């Protein structure tokens, strides 16, 4: 199993699938399934029963998980997708953009 280099709150670019080319913010990372939930990406329609939160019930649109391999981190300097390098500095793990060589 590969290491997950994407964290909650990161801006990511979608490499494959229906939403290819779109960007969004990571809402949640599902480590055990190697997936992430990205804001506005991979939207699905779910039928819900009436509850206190949704007294009307009906169809609700929400984000579904997308595989980590289909995501690339967005370089904060250029705004383009980039790969990530991991370095250790003073016992702390730091993510570095391969495009701009700057810390993320």
């Amino acid at each position: 199993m590969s290491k997950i280099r994407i964290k909650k709150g990161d801006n990511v670019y979608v490499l494959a699938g229906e939403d290819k080319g779109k960007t969004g913010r990571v809402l949640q990372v599902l480590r055990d399934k190697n997936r992430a939930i990205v804001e506005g990406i991979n939207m699905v329609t779910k039928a819900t029963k009436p509850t206190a939160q949704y007294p009307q019930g009906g169809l609700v649109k929400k984000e579904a998980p997308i595989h980590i391999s289909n995501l690339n981190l967005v370089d904060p300097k250029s705004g383009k997708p980039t790969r990530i390098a991991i370095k250790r500095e003073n016992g702390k793990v730091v993510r570095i953009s391969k495009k701009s060589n700057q810390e993320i």
Side-chain angles (χ1 to χ4, degrees), residues 39-85:
E39 189 175 33
I41 304 294
N42 200 20
M43 298 295 284
V44 294
T45 305
K46 293 193 78 169
T48 57
K49 289 186 175 181
T51 61
Q53 190 176 9
Y54 298 105
Q56 199 70 12
L59 300 175
V60 177
K61 286 196 169 264
K62 64 182 280 185
E63 292 94 353
I66 186 168
H67 200 272
I68 292 286
S69 66
N70 295 330
L71 301 175
N72 241 358
L73 203 65
V74 174
D75 186 12
K77 185 176 181 183
S78 67
K80 295 182 179 178
T82 181
R83 291 176 298 149
I84 305 164

Side-chain angles (χ1 to χ4, degrees), residues 2-4 13-14 17 29 31-32 41 46 52 57 67 75 82 97:
S2 64
K3 294 181 182 172
I4 296 178
Y13 176 86
V14 181
V29 177
R31 290 189 162 289
D32 54 333
I41 304 294
K46 293 193 78 169
H67 200 272
D75 186 12
T82 181
S97 167

